[in-house]
Amino acid sequence: MYPGQPPQRPRVRWVASVPPGVAPRRRPVRAEPYTGPPAYPAVPRWGFPNLTWRVSTAVPGTPSGVPHPLQRLRLLARNATTVLWTLAGLALVAAGAEVWRYVLLVISRDSALSAEVVGTSDALVLAGSLLTFVMALFAMAAAVWWLFVARAAAAEEAGADPPRPAWQVVLGTLVPGPNLVLSGPIVAELEHAVLRRPATMRPRPSRLVLGWWAAFVANGLLLAVTVAVRFREGVQAQADGVLLNALLDLAAATLAVLTALLVRRLTLLLAPIDESVAGSRPWRVLKVTGAPDPERPERPATATR
């Protein structure tokens, strides 16, 4: 301290604390036992609205107006499976009609046929072939639509882009020739993504995918051979064409069944809660036996219904 400088007070901070053991301790709160649900003297006037729970599809300022890929996938899978099973049934009917026509051709070599039998056979073959062809177009459109939605849903679940662009998928599924080679890898890549396997790992198709690919290739080859035989002339060429048509219908039925099974399996793997489970009839309480009657308090006179 210099001469003439006023004395400075030391900077001291006083802190007061309660001595240990003086402050009262908090008593622990004991948990009360559960006495059951709340009881009301009258019917409560509050409650939830009488609406079925559903996912919001129209939230302002959000892109929720577009259905989720998984929701679209379940609906498309159900529709595609129905169309495919219908196609399988029609193809079997058409195959039976072709076999019947072939049998009639064999019988006609030694004896004459009734005009009614021949007319019935021709009508059955024509109707079966036409319905099978129309249903095959619907099944192809439904399956390809499901494939695109399944690719989008699998890519969204994995957080990555699809392994192939859309134009390659169209080329590998709809263009004759390339689809025999590319359809198998496209479905194998989809199965690889659905099973949540690493993107760097090489896809290993399952037996169902391999069987579907083999049926798809066999169906395409039989179609090409059948069309080529149609340009031949002669009775034997017609008989061979009838037999090939029967084999083609059987191949189409096999392919439709395998496609339906493949669509169902991949949909269940990608969206476990499918429409067959979510749309099933829920459990209901039909009868209660041996339970005591519930206690109902008297309704107050001032309560309104």
Side-chain angles (χ1 to χ4, degrees), residues 23 41 70 83 122-123 130 156 191 193 200 214 222 238 242 277 287 300:
L70 289 180
V83 174
D122 293 341
L130 182 60
E156 183 177 355
E191 184 188 37
T200 57
L222 276 175
Q238 294 179 1
V242 172
V277 177
K287 185 179 181 181

Side-chain angles (χ1 to χ4, degrees), residues 202-234:
R202 184 176 181 181
R204 295 180 179 274
S206 60
R207 294 182 180 180
L208 180 59
V209 175
L210 293 177
W212 176 86
W213 192 11
F216 188 83
V217 173
N219 192 75
L221 294 179
L222 276 175
L223 179 60
V225 173
T226 304
V227 173
V229 171
R230 288 291 184 180
F231 291 97
R232 295 172 53 187
E233 298 180 356

Side-chain angles (χ1 to χ4, degrees), residues 1-2 4-10:
M1 183 174 59
Y2 299 96
Q5 184 178 2
Q8 297 180 357
R9 297 181 179 181

Side-chain angles (χ1 to χ4, degrees), residues 82-220:
T82 303
V83 174
L84 288 169
W85 282 109
T86 305
L87 173 61
L90 291 176
L92 290 178
V93 173
E98 294 289 349
V99 172
W100 187 21
R101 169 177 281 188
Y102 187 81
V103 172
L104 293 179
L105 288 176
V106 174
I107 295 175
S108 63
R109 297 175 58 183
D110 301 329
S111 60
L113 299 176
S114 173
E116 296 180 356
V117 174
V118 175
T120 304
S121 175
D122 293 341
L124 186 59
V125 169
L126 180 61
S129 301
L130 182 60
L131 292 177
T132 302
F133 177 75
V134 174
M135 191 58 62
L137 295 179
F138 283 105
M140 183 184 301
V144 173
W145 191 5
W146 171 87
L147 177 62
F148 276 94
V149 176
R151 291 176 71 252
E156 183 177 355
E157 289 292 324
D161 295 332
R164 294 175 184 267
W167 68 268
Q168 290 188 8
V169 178
V170 174
L171 178 66
T173 54
L174 299 179
V175 179
N179 58 358
L180 300 180
V181 181
L182 298 177
S183 60
I186 290 174
V187 177
E189 292 171 355
L190 175 60
E191 184 188 37
H192 184 84
V194 167
L195 293 176
R196 277 81 170 178
R197 293 175 179 174
T200 57
M201 181 180 177
R202 184 176 181 181
R204 295 180 179 274
S206 60
R207 294 182 180 180
L208 180 59
V209 175
L210 293 177
W212 176 86
W213 192 11
F216 188 83
V217 173
N219 192 75

